[in-house]
């Protein structure tokens, strides 16, 4: 178990040279060991295309090195300089109507080959200059890929990327996926519906909004793959340039809705990295809820890091409140004393080996003016600086918290990205899925588990030996080998009401639940109903619907709605829910939540799903 | 009185060939006689421009014919294939800012001559191939013209059609309307206001948003006429290609607001057709309200069919709930047992001779995945199939319901499309008009009438011999011969508070009410006031305003507001309302509604408006 | 003190020639002396480019002159005729995405040199024809500059002006401002933040949305300066064409939010004019609030007129309700009897020397159909005509009201346009600032003052000899000489919680409050906090936040929050508030408001801030 270490983000380009030494001294005095820099500074050191001004950068690195600090150097691709627009006038992201992206960051289409070549040349220069420095701890690729790209699921015509270079990449990706068979694509996309059958690959260039759910599903897959490829391309480039130096990325946990808008696949972005960081800003002032949200996000992102064997870190942990003198909507004032320590403990317990405070000094200018500083606006120490110092000295004991945490039984939640993508074909309201996953996380923690998430690639690696419980809260898309694997899964399972309703192309399962699963779980799925159909006596809080469940022979009813319809059925190793327990748990009374927790406790799971069911059946509602 | 018959929509292009025979067998077994198909299948049989693949289509028609079923064949113009964009890159609908329409259907500008020629060629091929088949029952033109075009009254710059071909058609239409006199147009449009006087026809090409209410009124007229012309063009083409075969269209009743956004004129679309169908999706789960809404919509659309002497049918009657496994916003889960029969009875009572269930099997893919099936997802029968079978055998008795219904006295409601168009020049909030007409429909039914609607072309054909009551709930635009006709109308009338406030160009009447009408109805109209001006004691529910009424000699006050202002006045044959009774009726208490109903009862109308008023005057508020 | 006189707007181009004489007779009979005309009539007298039709205009002027009336002639640039689009196809305003402005007025980019030359030629012709007429009272430039340009702060990409001619002007303006030093611009704009450093002036052409708050601040400054320049250009042109004739403008008080959207700087627009008019439409039906709002707006705009030494008038005072026969959202029905007189008294008391009623007759057509008439739709007199006649005869006594009003002690409110501009870089919610200023106005009037406003140019001319109190409610941007002036200001001051938080470039003050001010006011500013941080016991209404205040030696606490934090501190001549009293005053209970009023009364201010504090300190909360 490694010791937890700390660092911070510091931007020399925001401050007079005369203050760098003092600021770095204080960073070192606070027990921090690493400084992260460079993700937004392209125009600082390459003010004109191909003309570099390294002197200030060199001086800063010297000062870092002189204090024994280490540097995490970021590639600058999040914000190309203004001259990019002059050099590559056709290189901006475009939306479906051809409007140029005006986002403050991540406004660039890296499928544009000329601009990608320029990015490569700049990264090579950067690596050549600093790759050999002792102080180089490692690399961060870009920063928060695609975050702040102002895409919006609710208005898909405002989503990117429809730059012609991107569309060509999209058509190439489809060609590969469908083995250059348009017939296969037409079949998969059900293009006979509303006369969309394609007769030539070029026709795919023309967008048709969110008309076709199967095409939309592929489009969402491609966007995420395309972004992950861009990260992978930088990863491979850096590996070649500075072998042995750790390469990672700061992948923000943006919530499900935004992650779908901007095309994030956490697992795909993490693949092959040495370290995976994330950043989490959650300071609404409701301390309990804020910490629960940090716990959920940390577990989610650590799972993505674990899947690729990467070290896990918090690349940006909020270091302080905002110091603006006017009201603003972004969290910050909710950051109150003690929160720094509490959030650090949450991160460490759940696997963070490194925490970078964001940031050392709030800038006095720029878009994020006055935000998030550990220090005061003038660079002087605050109470938080002292707290950070104390935490730095606790590295080993913080790591020990993790060991205690790991003793809990493990629940694995299937985080089916494909299902989330598919759902967006019909609704921009991803809050439900957010509630589902956050709700399940809290429910399982209440029942005594530690929680891991497994994406579509990882889920079939789960085994009962390692997981006391496997939960499928939102596994809409499932077919073929995965269905077979699921039907044969010998461990304890909780099955959500949407499970396996469609195949990989997004075509509905004609029997609602594949026969293999119905046979395994002893249940048939009927219609998905509005909760409005439920008698009021059920006393459930508002939900988005429920599933008709009919137990087959060998299936039993765990509880009923007041109108007699099953609320959950179960069999030897599976509990099948007619409603979304995750969402439900966020809205229940304490008593209702207690019932859910009781059903899910490791001891109950063990008793009920291994043949010792007799003595509990009398307790069913 | 013809017998009611039933059919369904079935899409062979959505299903494996191997299932067609079984599905058609079940359709026949359920007592259905016709199958509707083809409205969205262009790319199925013409996968490349001019290259047809008729084999599957032929096979399907053979199977239909073999079972003695009849085919309603649709022209495919609702959804041109993807190659249309390649062939006619300048043919899409454009909005005011030149953005291409990305709607899933009805995204095409048929004013584009090349694309219209192609559509004609395809329809000719279709008619040539199947026009001679015994099984061809008849034709449906397009489907739901313009429905799903994502226009929006609230943001007029997102409305279509601003394709240059459409603008040219618009300018031609104006030239014809104003006898090529720009002076006449400038006068009609009051272009001296805000310096808009046109000096050349070309200047009209440039849009000016919703700046000029008179231009907007003409623009709305042109859009509706242009769409109706497109339907008429197909009607004439089909008549020539297959003489004797019934030609009709499925015209959706979309509600007033949407109908204005997408440019629908029900009466103009229906003109000259052999049959007029409509489709109505109303299944919110509030059974009583749903059926009342179906009744209103059916009466409205049947009136449009009656005006042209066409047979009336329900082209799409919802056949079942949605079978999606996730929440969605579109109605469906509200479809519960018994609704199929109840809705069928509403349709028949109000004149439907044919009902097509929509649809036979919910598709497993495509934009409308899982929606509306009579059968289960796998094609097996449901309880609804049995209900449909029973209804099929009741055809004659269902028709008999209509005869009973027709014995009621008849009220005719003026459905002034021009007034609705004019109102949109000032507000996108057409909910008020929706409430007005739906409210009046319910109120008149409560008072014991059957209700017909008459549009601006039909209203002057109404006579007291055929109509016990004529209602003008929203007749803003009126002048010339229509005003003369109204002033001389000898039958019973109810006059709304906005009546005749402007002439045909949308210019205000300087005396608020034309003198001819004021003299006939013995009343002067004053200002239109906010309801806020009313004393609270009036105890009226929230309304959008009221009209100052001053009875002239011979006019009497029917009831007063609590501040003494008249709530309604009357004369020999007319009741003049200071508020919108239709809107009011949706919001009143039962007692208030009872009063309104009492004033409108056929017996009251007869007594009050034929000189026997004495005995009732004591009852006035 | 001049006598108050009255006029009206009358549009001959809206009415048949045959009615002009009668209408002008009635105008004269009502005691009105001036007629305003021409602001929207360009296409009436120049129907084709360079082809004029003066006959109707001449006839109208003859009729005016024959009645001894005077004419206020407007330049027509608010609404170029339709042929402008043909002549200058690249001359429309464009938004950030290049979309043409479709506003009904002020849709033109006057940075386009060809179109500006055409405007000059037309104005010259107008001046040549009527400049020598005896009846010419004077000129109005344009009308309501930029009003009705449909810009929207909430969606900055919809804001204007991004026409290439405008962007060039913007870059030129920047070049002048920064002495052609890109380094200075990069420093001022903190372009190292997010890699925005500019290396060439051309790069500034490309917009980046609202990414950079400092660039945004300059952009807002430039838009306002550019609009004011356009007015100044017309002013100088008219002065040259008709020396001696008064030149003015109708500058609408649109509220802070809209004024920022459309780029208005009242003081800059007023500069150098002979008369400054404004127009105010406020008739919601809540009489007390409506009159208070009129008082605030009148004081604000009169202050702008006073600053340049111009006569002040109400160019458009609402003359009546709307006479539409359908609901609409624009104020009007709230216009009830007596309001005409009440509003006139408010205007006169606060300095208006001339009032033009808007308008004489409501038009029967056009965008503003039926709105605002003094007369009935048919041109006949109303009760309001009689009221206007009475007011005309009271001119001298109305002016006398002003003298009484002027006896009150004077409070000056710093209306810091720069601070308002800066705030929009972070939030489109300018309602808060609206509340701040309107709230302060009401509070100071309650405390017995008359209120003037001083903009950033005027504020340093304020002296204790002339102002009993100087209030800085929203003075975010302050540095250099202004800070020195403030620190040395010897008179009584009230200081808002945001004061001087940033320098002229929008960079934060690293000590929160400049040391000079902290020393002068004996207080240190801490964090800006959410009100959520306040204990509930404070019983304050919802606010947007509060400032941490720490009195230095010599500073005292005036009142505390219930958690002990200072709500206000004071020193010899300054009261420093932790919250926005202006906003607060709109939401307080009467008791809370009474406390605020007590603190601000002239007698309290005098006692507390001149050393006689002892006897009051016991009263502090």
């Amino acid at each position: 178990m490694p010791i937890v270490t700390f660092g911070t983000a510091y931007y020399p380009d925001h401050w007079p040279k005369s203050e760098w030494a003092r600021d770095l001294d204080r960073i070192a005095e606070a027990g921090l060991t690493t400084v992260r820099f460079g993700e937004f500074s392209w125009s600082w050191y390459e003010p004109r295309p191909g003309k570099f001004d390294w002197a200030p950068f060199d001086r800063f690195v010297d000062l870092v090195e002189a204090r024994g600090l280490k540097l995490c150097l970021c590639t600058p691709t999040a914000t190309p300089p203004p001259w990019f627009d002059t050099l590559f006038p056709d290189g901006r992201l475009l939306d479906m109507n051809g409007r140029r992206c005006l986002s403050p960051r991540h406004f660039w289409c890296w499928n544009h080959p000329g601009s990608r070549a320029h990015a490569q040349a700049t990264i090579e220069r950067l690596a050549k200059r600093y790759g050999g420095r002792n102080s180089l701890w490692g690399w961060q690729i870009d920063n928060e890929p695609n975050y702040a790209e102002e895409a919006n699921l609710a208005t898909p015509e405002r989503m990117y990327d429809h730059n012609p270079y991107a569309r060509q990449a999209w058509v190439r990706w489809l060609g590969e996926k469908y083995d250059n068979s348009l017939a296969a694509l037409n079949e998969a996309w059900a293009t006979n519906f509303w006369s969309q059958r394609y007769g030539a690959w070029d026709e795919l260039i023309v967008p048709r909004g969110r008309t076709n759910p199967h095409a939309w599903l592929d489009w969402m897959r491609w966007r995420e793959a395309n972004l992950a490829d861009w990260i992978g391309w930088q990863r491979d480039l850096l590996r070649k340039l500075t072998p042995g130096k750790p390469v990672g990325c700061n992948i923000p946990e943006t919530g499900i809705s935004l992650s779908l808008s901007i095309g994030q696949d956490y697992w795909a972005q993490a693949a092959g990295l040495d370290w995976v960081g994330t950043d989490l800003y959650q300071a609404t002032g409701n301390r309990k809820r804020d910490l629960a949200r940090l716990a959920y996000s940390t577990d989610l992102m650590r799972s993505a890091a674990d899947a690729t064997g990467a070290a896990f870190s918090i690349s940006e942990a909020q270091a302080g409140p905002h110091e603006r003198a006017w009201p603003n909507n972004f969290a910050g004032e909710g950051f109150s004393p003690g929160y720094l320590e509490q959030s650090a403990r949450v991160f460490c317990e759940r696997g963070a080996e490194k925490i970078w405070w964001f940031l050392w000094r709030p800038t006095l200018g720029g878009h994020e003016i006055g935000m998030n500083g550990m220090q005061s606006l003038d660079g002087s120490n605050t109470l938080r600086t002292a707290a950070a110092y104390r935490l730095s000295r606790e590295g080993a004991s913080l790591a020990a918290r993790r060991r205690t945490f790991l003793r809990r039984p493990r629940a694995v939640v299937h985080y089916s990205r494909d299902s989330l993508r598919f759902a967006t074909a019909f609704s921009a309201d991803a809050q439900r899925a957010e509630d589902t996953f956050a709700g399940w996380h809290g429910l399982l923690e209440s029942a005594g588990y530690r929680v891991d998430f497994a994406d579509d690639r990882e889920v079939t690696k789960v085994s009962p030996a390692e997981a006391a419980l496997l939960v499928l809260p939102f596994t809409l898309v499932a077919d073929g080998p995965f269905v077979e694997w699921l039907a044969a899964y010998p461990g304890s399972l909780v099955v959500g009401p949407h499970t396996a309703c469609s195949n990989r192309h997004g075509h509905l399962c004609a029997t609602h639940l594949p026969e293999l699963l119905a046979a395994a779980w002893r249940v048939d799925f009927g219609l998905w109903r509005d909760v409005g159909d439920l008698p009021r006596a059920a006393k459930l809080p508002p939900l988005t619907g429920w599933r008709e469940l009919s137990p087959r022979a060998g299936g039993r009813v765990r509880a009923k709605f007041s109108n007699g319809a099953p609320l959950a059925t179960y069999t030897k190793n599976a509990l099948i829910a007619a409603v979304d327990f995750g969402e439900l748990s966020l809205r229940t009374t304490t008593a209702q939540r207690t019932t859910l927790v009781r059903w899910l406790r490791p001891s109950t799971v063990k008793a009920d799903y291994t043949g010792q069911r007799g003595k509990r059946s009398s307790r069913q509602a």
Side-chain angles (χ1 to χ4, degrees), chain A residues 211-233:
Chain A
T211 293
N212 183 313
H214 322 295
W216 183 261
L217 177 56
D218 268 347
W219 168 259
M220 292 295 280
R221 285 168 174 152
W222 170 76
R223 289 188 76 219
E224 301 193 355
N226 191 240
L227 179 60
D229 279 354
W230 165 240
I231 296 170
W233 177 85

mmCIF file of all heavy atoms in Angstrom, chain A residues 211-233:
data_model
loop_
_atom_site.group_PDB
_atom_site.id
_atom_site.type_symbol
_atom_site.label_atom_id
_atom_site.label_comp_id
_atom_site.label_asym_id
_atom_site.label_seq_id
_atom_site.Cartn_x
_atom_site.Cartn_y
_atom_site.Cartn_z
ATOM 1 N N THR A 211 -32.722 11.233 -35.304
ATOM 2 C CA THR A 211 -33.839 10.526 -35.921
ATOM 3 C C THR A 211 -33.779 9.028 -35.696
ATOM 4 O O THR A 211 -34.787 8.381 -35.456
ATOM 5 C CB THR A 211 -33.826 10.811 -37.436
ATOM 6 O OG1 THR A 211 -34.116 12.189 -37.612
ATOM 7 C CG2 THR A 211 -34.839 9.979 -38.153
ATOM 8 N N ASN A 212 -32.594 8.471 -35.811
ATOM 9 C CA ASN A 212 -32.431 7.018 -35.782
ATOM 10 C C ASN A 212 -31.691 6.605 -34.520
ATOM 11 O O ASN A 212 -30.505 6.916 -34.352
ATOM 12 C CB ASN A 212 -31.642 6.597 -37.032
ATOM 13 C CG ASN A 212 -31.485 5.095 -37.127
ATOM 14 O OD1 ASN A 212 -31.132 4.438 -36.147
ATOM 15 N ND2 ASN A 212 -31.747 4.553 -38.297
ATOM 16 N N PRO A 213 -32.348 5.893 -33.619
ATOM 17 C CA PRO A 213 -31.708 5.570 -32.328
ATOM 18 C C PRO A 213 -30.486 4.672 -32.475
ATOM 19 O O PRO A 213 -29.577 4.744 -31.647
ATOM 20 C CB PRO A 213 -32.816 4.871 -31.537
ATOM 21 C CG PRO A 213 -33.816 4.411 -32.541
ATOM 22 C CD PRO A 213 -33.728 5.361 -33.702
ATOM 23 N N HIS A 214 -30.461 3.851 -33.509
ATOM 24 C CA HIS A 214 -29.339 2.932 -33.688
ATOM 25 C C HIS A 214 -28.132 3.686 -34.240
ATOM 26 O O HIS A 214 -27.005 3.469 -33.804
ATOM 27 C CB HIS A 214 -29.759 1.787 -34.606
ATOM 28 C CG HIS A 214 -31.168 1.366 -34.361
ATOM 29 N ND1 HIS A 214 -31.556 0.801 -33.167
ATOM 30 C CD2 HIS A 214 -32.306 1.516 -35.096
ATOM 31 C CE1 HIS A 214 -32.868 0.588 -33.200
ATOM 32 N NE2 HIS A 214 -33.349 1.007 -34.360
ATOM 33 N N ALA A 215 -28.397 4.585 -35.166
ATOM 34 C CA ALA A 215 -27.324 5.436 -35.680
ATOM 35 C C ALA A 215 -26.798 6.337 -34.563
ATOM 36 O O ALA A 215 -25.593 6.553 -34.428
ATOM 37 C CB ALA A 215 -27.846 6.286 -36.842
ATOM 38 N N TRP A 216 -27.722 6.848 -33.758
ATOM 39 C CA TRP A 216 -27.322 7.699 -32.636
ATOM 40 C C TRP A 216 -26.421 6.935 -31.672
ATOM 41 O O TRP A 216 -25.401 7.454 -31.194
ATOM 42 C CB TRP A 216 -28.568 8.201 -31.905
ATOM 43 C CG TRP A 216 -28.243 9.132 -30.783
ATOM 44 C CD1 TRP A 216 -28.171 8.811 -29.454
ATOM 45 C CD2 TRP A 216 -27.925 10.515 -30.880
ATOM 46 N NE1 TRP A 216 -27.844 9.920 -28.722
ATOM 47 C CE2 TRP A 216 -27.687 10.986 -29.568
ATOM 48 C CE3 TRP A 216 -27.819 11.407 -31.940
ATOM 49 C CZ2 TRP A 216 -27.353 12.313 -29.303
ATOM 50 C CZ3 TRP A 216 -27.487 12.729 -31.674
ATOM 51 C CH2 TRP A 216 -27.254 13.165 -30.364
ATOM 52 N N LEU A 217 -26.781 5.681 -31.398
ATOM 53 C CA LEU A 217 -25.973 4.847 -30.510
ATOM 54 C C LEU A 217 -24.558 4.699 -31.061
ATOM 55 O O LEU A 217 -23.570 4.884 -30.335
ATOM 56 C CB LEU A 217 -26.667 3.475 -30.353
ATOM 57 C CG LEU A 217 -25.978 2.404 -29.528
ATOM 58 C CD1 LEU A 217 -25.663 2.881 -28.122
ATOM 59 C CD2 LEU A 217 -26.856 1.148 -29.471
ATOM 60 N N ASP A 218 -24.460 4.429 -32.353
ATOM 61 C CA ASP A 218 -23.130 4.320 -32.966
ATOM 62 C C ASP A 218 -22.397 5.667 -32.935
ATOM 63 O O ASP A 218 -21.188 5.716 -32.714
ATOM 64 C CB ASP A 218 -23.246 3.823 -34.417
ATOM 65 C CG ASP A 218 -23.135 2.300 -34.512
ATOM 66 O OD1 ASP A 218 -22.722 1.664 -33.504
ATOM 67 O OD2 ASP A 218 -23.450 1.741 -35.574
ATOM 68 N N TRP A 219 -23.122 6.719 -33.181
ATOM 69 C CA TRP A 219 -22.528 8.068 -33.155
ATOM 70 C C TRP A 219 -21.956 8.362 -31.771
ATOM 71 O O TRP A 219 -20.822 8.838 -31.634
ATOM 72 C CB TRP A 219 -23.599 9.097 -33.542
ATOM 73 C CG TRP A 219 -23.240 10.524 -33.295
ATOM 74 C CD1 TRP A 219 -23.647 11.287 -32.240
ATOM 75 C CD2 TRP A 219 -22.411 11.354 -34.101
ATOM 76 N NE1 TRP A 219 -23.125 12.553 -32.346
ATOM 77 C CE2 TRP A 219 -22.355 12.628 -33.479
ATOM 78 C CE3 TRP A 219 -21.706 11.166 -35.283
ATOM 79 C CZ2 TRP A 219 -21.633 13.681 -34.005
ATOM 80 C CZ3 TRP A 219 -20.982 12.221 -35.809
ATOM 81 C CH2 TRP A 219 -20.951 13.463 -35.173
ATOM 82 N N MET A 220 -22.690 8.040 -30.735
ATOM 83 C CA MET A 220 -22.209 8.260 -29.377
ATOM 84 C C MET A 220 -20.988 7.385 -29.100
ATOM 85 O O MET A 220 -20.030 7.816 -28.461
ATOM 86 C CB MET A 220 -23.318 7.959 -28.368
ATOM 87 C CG MET A 220 -24.492 8.926 -28.404
ATOM 88 S SD MET A 220 -24.069 10.639 -27.920
ATOM 89 C CE MET A 220 -24.063 10.485 -26.122
ATOM 90 N N ARG A 221 -21.027 6.161 -29.602
ATOM 91 C CA ARG A 221 -19.857 5.274 -29.430
ATOM 92 C C ARG A 221 -18.647 5.863 -30.139
ATOM 93 O O ARG A 221 -17.542 5.868 -29.617
ATOM 94 C CB ARG A 221 -20.163 3.902 -30.029
ATOM 95 C CG ARG A 221 -21.088 3.042 -29.204
ATOM 96 C CD ARG A 221 -21.548 1.851 -30.037
ATOM 97 N NE ARG A 221 -22.344 0.891 -29.262
ATOM 98 C CZ ARG A 221 -23.273 0.113 -29.782
ATOM 99 N NH1 ARG A 221 -23.548 0.162 -31.078
ATOM 100 N NH2 ARG A 221 -23.943 -0.722 -29.013
ATOM 101 N N TRP A 222 -18.866 6.335 -31.369
ATOM 102 C CA TRP A 222 -17.741 6.862 -32.125
ATOM 103 C C TRP A 222 -17.152 8.097 -31.457
ATOM 104 O O TRP A 222 -15.937 8.236 -31.346
ATOM 105 C CB TRP A 222 -18.158 7.221 -33.562
ATOM 106 C CG TRP A 222 -17.067 7.985 -34.235
ATOM 107 C CD1 TRP A 222 -15.902 7.462 -34.740
ATOM 108 C CD2 TRP A 222 -16.979 9.396 -34.396
ATOM 109 N NE1 TRP A 222 -15.107 8.472 -35.216
ATOM 110 C CE2 TRP A 222 -15.746 9.672 -35.015
ATOM 111 C CE3 TRP A 222 -17.826 10.460 -34.082
ATOM 112 C CZ2 TRP A 222 -15.329 10.965 -35.332
ATOM 113 C CZ3 TRP A 222 -17.421 11.750 -34.395
ATOM 114 C CH2 TRP A 222 -16.193 11.985 -35.018
ATOM 115 N N ARG A 223 -18.010 9.002 -30.994
ATOM 116 C CA ARG A 223 -17.507 10.220 -30.349
ATOM 117 C C ARG A 223 -16.602 9.859 -29.171
ATOM 118 O O ARG A 223 -15.536 10.431 -28.990
ATOM 119 C CB ARG A 223 -18.656 11.087 -29.820
ATOM 120 C CG ARG A 223 -19.470 11.773 -30.878
ATOM 121 C CD ARG A 223 -20.441 12.742 -30.230
ATOM 122 N NE ARG A 223 -19.764 13.932 -29.788
ATOM 123 C CZ ARG A 223 -20.022 14.594 -28.647
ATOM 124 N NH1 ARG A 223 -20.969 14.156 -27.836
ATOM 125 N NH2 ARG A 223 -19.357 15.667 -28.321
ATOM 126 N N GLU A 224 -17.070 8.913 -28.372
ATOM 127 C CA GLU A 224 -16.282 8.536 -27.195
ATOM 128 C C GLU A 224 -14.994 7.839 -27.604
ATOM 129 O O GLU A 224 -13.932 8.086 -27.017
ATOM 130 C CB GLU A 224 -17.131 7.658 -26.267
ATOM 131 C CG GLU A 224 -18.396 8.398 -25.812
ATOM 132 C CD GLU A 224 -19.137 7.735 -24.658
ATOM 133 O OE1 GLU A 224 -18.757 6.632 -24.230
ATOM 134 O OE2 GLU A 224 -20.112 8.362 -24.173
ATOM 135 N N ALA A 225 -15.097 6.977 -28.611
ATOM 136 C CA ALA A 225 -13.892 6.275 -29.075
ATOM 137 C C ALA A 225 -12.910 7.268 -29.691
ATOM 138 O O ALA A 225 -11.696 7.162 -29.507
ATOM 139 C CB ALA A 225 -14.285 5.205 -30.101
ATOM 140 N N ASN A 226 -13.432 8.224 -30.421
ATOM 141 C CA ASN A 226 -12.594 9.213 -31.077
ATOM 142 C C ASN A 226 -11.816 10.041 -30.058
ATOM 143 O O ASN A 226 -10.626 10.311 -30.220
ATOM 144 C CB ASN A 226 -13.497 10.114 -31.944
ATOM 145 C CG ASN A 226 -12.714 11.012 -32.892
ATOM 146 O OD1 ASN A 226 -12.805 12.229 -32.818
ATOM 147 N ND2 ASN A 226 -11.927 10.422 -33.777
ATOM 148 N N LEU A 227 -12.492 10.400 -28.978
ATOM 149 C CA LEU A 227 -11.818 11.171 -27.935
ATOM 150 C C LEU A 227 -10.777 10.300 -27.221
ATOM 151 O O LEU A 227 -9.660 10.750 -26.945
ATOM 152 C CB LEU A 227 -12.858 11.703 -26.930
ATOM 153 C CG LEU A 227 -12.299 12.510 -25.770
ATOM 154 C CD1 LEU A 227 -11.551 13.742 -26.261
ATOM 155 C CD2 LEU A 227 -13.410 12.935 -24.808
ATOM 156 N N ALA A 228 -11.139 9.056 -26.948
ATOM 157 C CA ALA A 228 -10.187 8.157 -26.288
ATOM 158 C C ALA A 228 -8.977 7.904 -27.182
ATOM 159 O O ALA A 228 -7.843 7.815 -26.709
ATOM 160 C CB ALA A 228 -10.884 6.839 -25.918
ATOM 161 N N ASP A 229 -9.209 7.807 -28.498
ATOM 162 C CA ASP A 229 -8.098 7.613 -29.436
ATOM 163 C C ASP A 229 -7.111 8.786 -29.390
ATOM 164 O O ASP A 229 -5.910 8.604 -29.506
ATOM 165 C CB ASP A 229 -8.635 7.500 -30.872
ATOM 166 C CG ASP A 229 -9.135 6.113 -31.171
ATOM 167 O OD1 ASP A 229 -8.971 5.219 -30.315
ATOM 168 O OD2 ASP A 229 -9.717 5.920 -32.251
ATOM 169 N N TRP A 230 -7.668 9.955 -29.257
ATOM 170 C CA TRP A 230 -6.829 11.165 -29.188
ATOM 171 C C TRP A 230 -5.931 11.108 -27.958
ATOM 172 O O TRP A 230 -4.732 11.409 -28.013
ATOM 173 C CB TRP A 230 -7.750 12.382 -29.189
ATOM 174 C CG TRP A 230 -7.166 13.704 -28.780
ATOM 175 C CD1 TRP A 230 -7.587 14.473 -27.736
ATOM 176 C CD2 TRP A 230 -6.101 14.410 -29.402
ATOM 177 N NE1 TRP A 230 -6.846 15.618 -27.668
ATOM 178 C CE2 TRP A 230 -5.909 15.614 -28.686
ATOM 179 C CE3 TRP A 230 -5.268 14.144 -30.487
ATOM 180 C CZ2 TRP A 230 -4.953 16.548 -29.018
ATOM 181 C CZ3 TRP A 230 -4.307 15.082 -30.819
ATOM 182 C CH2 TRP A 230 -4.146 16.259 -30.098
ATOM 183 N N ILE A 231 -6.473 10.645 -26.853
ATOM 184 C CA ILE A 231 -5.669 10.496 -25.632
ATOM 185 C C ILE A 231 -4.631 9.390 -25.814
ATOM 186 O O ILE A 231 -3.458 9.550 -25.461
ATOM 187 C CB ILE A 231 -6.595 10.206 -24.426
ATOM 188 C CG1 ILE A 231 -7.512 11.420 -24.193
ATOM 189 C CG2 ILE A 231 -5.779 9.876 -23.174
ATOM 190 C CD1 ILE A 231 -8.615 11.170 -23.195
ATOM 191 N N GLY A 232 -5.077 8.301 -26.413
ATOM 192 C CA GLY A 232 -4.151 7.183 -26.651
ATOM 193 C C GLY A 232 -3.011 7.588 -27.582
ATOM 194 O O GLY A 232 -1.869 7.154 -27.413
ATOM 195 N N TRP A 233 -3.326 8.425 -28.563
ATOM 196 C CA TRP A 233 -2.304 8.900 -29.502
ATOM 197 C C TRP A 233 -1.250 9.711 -28.755
ATOM 198 O O TRP A 233 -0.041 9.548 -28.980
ATOM 199 C CB TRP A 233 -2.999 9.741 -30.578
ATOM 200 C CG TRP A 233 -2.090 10.362 -31.594
ATOM 201 C CD1 TRP A 233 -1.624 9.775 -32.731
ATOM 202 C CD2 TRP A 233 -1.554 11.685 -31.551
ATOM 203 N NE1 TRP A 233 -0.825 10.659 -33.420
ATOM 204 C CE2 TRP A 233 -0.758 11.844 -32.721
ATOM 205 C CE3 TRP A 233 -1.654 12.754 -30.667
ATOM 206 C CZ2 TRP A 233 -0.087 13.019 -33.007
ATOM 207 C CZ3 TRP A 233 -0.986 13.926 -30.962
ATOM 208 C CH2 TRP A 233 -0.200 14.051 -32.125
#
